[in-house]
């Protein structure tokens, strides 16, 4: 045990995800040795991020303004809406530079075992967003795992009666992978979603 | 590290570190096992979708100090996507997995009967021919019976007087005769008691012929009975889409 504030710092760092007691100690001593200017900047960013960052009032993405960058951008196509689980997924899709529509961040996936049902996600906000008729296509881009699939199934059931075009991201073989190592579910999906090469 | 092989159903997964997951499985010979699947969250992972909940897999594991490590996985029956493709089936299935996790006993303690019951239950659920809610209730009643808390729906749970009886008490262990009836016992409809009995014995013909009201009432009694024995109810049970 260290004295006073050094131990406090180690304890606080140790509460971060993926940081164990030894790692926390290493980071604490790194900070003690580091340039005071750098440490001050880190401390300022930490306070600033909690003060300034909030969730976009329209899509639920993280932002510093009332609305996020994508929702403010008039060049984005308002008729296509991509539903994702987390803000991280927005960043991943933006990196592809393929998509020009808008987003809706659910804030997780339906997982009854963790006590997360549709009411704990931003499903109601999604439905009210769709009520004005501006959106004609909803792309379900939840993770291709069990929880993501179940969330997509639930949303499909809710969206179908509205008469929108509902699509799901394709899943199949990863680019750069080997066919022989593909598991049955993935390979099955790849067969299901096969397409004509002359299109 | 000693290697061993076993057949198992994946009960739940938790994220670990950058790209790993802790996979909780119920295995045939080793009961419940918690093991690490390294790199499983990467798209290039050789495990792919094999270690998603509901998967019936053949595993090779390496013994570790606290957590074991999954070294190989082969699918025996990939029920994941069939179950995940229908919302009521998914929610019922999740409750079955959570119940199996709670009723399997200690880690590494063989629970063959629970394992076989779960495999059978999930296959019926994935088959899609029966009401998921009925499959779930039948599984919960039988799983509780295997764990040593078999309810009685014919004779009085306290004195053994032959039935049928009109009162149900979770704390006493099933239906009770008027003389043994504790205060606060429920008074379900006779059809509900008959449905519960049919679910426990596997009389699907009788169970399938019941109406929605009877099924709702029997589900409530099963949930109460389960909550009494597990001390706290299942989290996923409140999310079941009936």
């Amino acid at each position: 045990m260290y004295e006073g504030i050094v131990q406090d710092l180690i304890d606080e760092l140790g509460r971060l995800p993926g940081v164990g007691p030894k790692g926390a100690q290493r980071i604490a001593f790194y900070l003690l040795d580091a340039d005071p200017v750098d440490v001050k900047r880190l401390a300022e960013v930490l306070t600033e991020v909690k003060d300034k960052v909030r969730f976009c009032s329209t899509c639920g993405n993280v932002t510093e303004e009332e609305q996020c960058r994508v929702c403010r951008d008039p060049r984005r196509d308002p008729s296509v809406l991509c539903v994702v689980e987390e803000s991280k997924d927005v960043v991943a899709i933006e990196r592809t530079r393929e998509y020009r529509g808008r987003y809706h961040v659910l804030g997780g996936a339906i997982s009854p075992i963790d006590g997360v049902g549709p009411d704990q996600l931003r499903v109601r906000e999604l439905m009210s967003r769709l009520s004005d008729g501006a959106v004609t296509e909803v792309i379900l881009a939840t993770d291709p795992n069990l929880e993501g699939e179940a969330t997509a199934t639930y949303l499909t059931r809710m969206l179908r009666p509205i008469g929108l075009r509902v699509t799901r991201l394709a899943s199949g073989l990863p680019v750069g992978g080997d066919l022989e190592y593909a598991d049955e579910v993935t390979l099955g999906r790849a067969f299901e979603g096969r397409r004509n090469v002359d299109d | 590290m000693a290697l061993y092989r076993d057949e198992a159903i994946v009960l739940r997964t938790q994220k670990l570190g950058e790209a790993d997951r802790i996979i909780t499985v119920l295995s045939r010979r080793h009961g419940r096992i918690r093991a690490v699947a390294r790199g499983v969250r990467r798209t290039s992972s050789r495990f792919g979708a094999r270690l998603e909940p509901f998967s019936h897999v053949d595993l090779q594991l390496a013994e570790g100090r606290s957590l074991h490590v999954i070294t190989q996985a082969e699918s025996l029956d990939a029920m994941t996507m069939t179950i995940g493709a229908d919302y009521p089936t998914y929610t019922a299935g999740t409750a079955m997995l959570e119940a199996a996790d709670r009723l399997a006993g200690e880690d590494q303690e063989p629970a063959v009967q629970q394992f076989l019951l779960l495999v059978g239950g999930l296959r019926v659920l994935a088959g899609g021919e029966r009401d998921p809610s009925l499959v779930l209730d039948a599984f919960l009643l039988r799983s509780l019976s295997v764990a040593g808390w078999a309810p009685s729906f014919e004779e009085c749970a306290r004195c053994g007087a032959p039935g049928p009886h009109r009162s149900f008490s979770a704390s006493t262990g099933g239906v009770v005769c008027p003389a043994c009836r504790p205060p606060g016992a429920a008074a379900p409809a006779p059809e509900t008691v008959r449905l519960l009995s049919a679910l426990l014995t596997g009389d699907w013909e009788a169970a399938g012929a019941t109406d929605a009201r009877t099924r709702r009432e029997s589900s409530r009694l099963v949930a109460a009975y389960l909550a009494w024995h597990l001390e706290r109810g299942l989290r996923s049970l409140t999310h079941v889409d009936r």
Side-chain angles (χ1 to χ4, degrees), chain A residues 103-178:
Chain A
Y103 293 95
H104 188 85
V105 182
L106 288 174
I110 297 174
S111 175
I113 216 161
D114 300 310
V116 181
D119 295 342
Q120 279 74 42
L121 303 175
R122 300 182 72 251
V123 174
R124 215 171 298 128
E125 287 86 341
L126 172 67
M127 299 314 281
S128 64
R129 241 184 122 176
L130 298 173
S131 59
D132 64 354
V135 177
T136 54
E137 180 183 355
V138 174
I139 305 171
L140 301 174
T142 49
D143 287 345
N145 54 25
L146 178 70
E147 288 84 12
E149 286 297 328
T151 311
T153 312
Y154 177 81
L155 291 177
T156 311
R157 204 175 67 171
M158 301 282 285
L159 297 173
R160 232 180 231 140
I162 311 178
L164 293 166
R165 181 169 181 234
V166 183
T167 53
R168 175 95 175 100
L169 283 194
S171 62
L173 299 170
V175 178
D178 268 20

Side-chain angles (χ1 to χ4, degrees), chain A residues 88 110-118 120 144-147 149-150 153-154 157 174 181-186 189, chain B residues 11-12 21 43 46-50 52-54 75 78 80-81 84-88 90 94 98 235-236 239 241:
Chain A
K88 289 180 280 191
I110 297 174
S111 175
I113 216 161
D114 300 310
V116 181
Q120 279 74 42
N145 54 25
L146 178 70
E147 288 84 12
E149 286 297 328
T153 312
Y154 177 81
R157 204 175 67 171
Y181 287 111
D183 65 281
E184 297 73 5
V185 177
T186 310
R189 283 296 187 84
Chain B
L11 299 179
R12 64 181 303 180
R21 274 203 187 115
T43 47
R46 66 202 151 91
F47 293 126
R50 291 185 188 102
E52 287 288 303
F54 300 116
S75 284
T80 308
M81 293 304 157
D86 181 68
Y87 191 66
Y90 166 70
T94 314
E98 193 183 353
R235 277 169 109 179
S236 39
H239 295 285
D241 192 72

Side-chain angles (χ1 to χ4, degrees), chain B residues 3 8 23 29 64 115 184 189 196 223 241:
Chain B
L3 290 174
I23 314 279
R29 290 185 296 278
F115 173 78
L196 287 168
D241 192 72

Side-chain angles (χ1 to χ4, degrees), chain B residues 151-164:
Chain B
S152 164
F153 295 122
E154 305 290 338
E155 293 86 30
C156 169
R158 182 171 286 167
C159 67

Side-chain angles (χ1 to χ4, degrees), chain B:
Chain B
M1 281 200 295
L3 290 174
Y4 65 99
R5 258 178 83 168
D6 207 344
E7 178 193 333
I9 294 271
V10 179
L11 299 179
R12 64 181 303 180
T13 64
Q14 288 152 283
K15 287 181 183 176
L16 176 74
E18 189 82 357
D20 309 340
R21 274 203 187 115
I22 298 178
I23 314 279
T24 309
V25 300
L26 181 63
S27 66
R28 185 186 276 270
R29 290 185 296 278
H30 299 82
R32 193 176 55 191
I33 305 170
R34 276 159 52 84
V36 179
R38 299 217 188 279
V40 71
R41 278 154 64 203
R42 292 202 182 93
T43 47
S44 58
S45 165
R46 66 202 151 91
F47 293 126
R50 291 185 188 102
L51 297 175
E52 287 288 303
F54 300 116
S55 297
H56 185 190
V57 280
D58 183 0
L59 295 177
Q60 187 182 61
L61 298 116
E63 277 178 24
R65 258 170 303 182
S66 60
L67 290 170
H68 296 201
V69 179
I70 298 176
T71 54
Q72 279 178 43
E74 281 295 321
S75 284
L76 294 173
D77 193 350
M79 293 180 276
T80 308
M81 293 304 157
T82 335
I83 293 177
D86 181 68
Y87 191 66
T89 310
Y90 166 70
T91 51
T94 314
M96 284 167 68
L97 294 185
E98 193 183 353
D101 189 8
R102 296 274 295 278
L103 290 166
E106 295 293 306
D107 282 357
Q108 305 281 318
E109 206 175 84
V112 188
Q113 272 185 298
Q114 287 286 8
F115 173 78
L116 294 174
L117 194 63
L118 183 62
V119 174
L122 291 179
R123 278 202 188 131
V124 173
L125 196 64
E129 280 164 26
R130 308 216 191 279
D131 177 0
S133 170
L134 285 182
V135 178
L136 168 64
D137 288 339
F139 173 80
L140 293 176
L141 289 174
R142 290 186 213 176
S143 187
L144 281 162
S145 307
V146 170
W149 294 308
S152 164
F153 295 122
E154 305 290 338
E155 293 86 30
C156 169
R158 182 171 286 167
C159 67
H165 299 295
R166 292 296 308 273
S167 306
F168 176 87
S169 160
S171 56
T172 317
V175 290
V176 277
C177 68
C180 298
R181 184 182 184 277
E191 308 87 74
T192 308
V193 179
R194 277 201 293 276
L195 171 59
L196 287 168
S197 175
L199 289 174
L200 184 63
T201 51
D203 183 353
W204 285 103
E205 212 169 304
T210 50
D211 60 13
R213 221 180 112 251
T214 312
R215 291 181 190 188
R216 268 200 305 278
E217 192 178 26
S218 84
S219 297
R220 271 200 300 275
L221 294 180
V222 173
Y225 189 74
L226 184 80
W228 171 266
H229 288 292
L230 288 180
E231 288 174 359
R232 61 189 164 90
L234 297 180
R235 277 169 109 179
S236 39
L237 216 49
T238 49
H239 295 285
V240 175
D241 192 72
R242 300 198 195 253

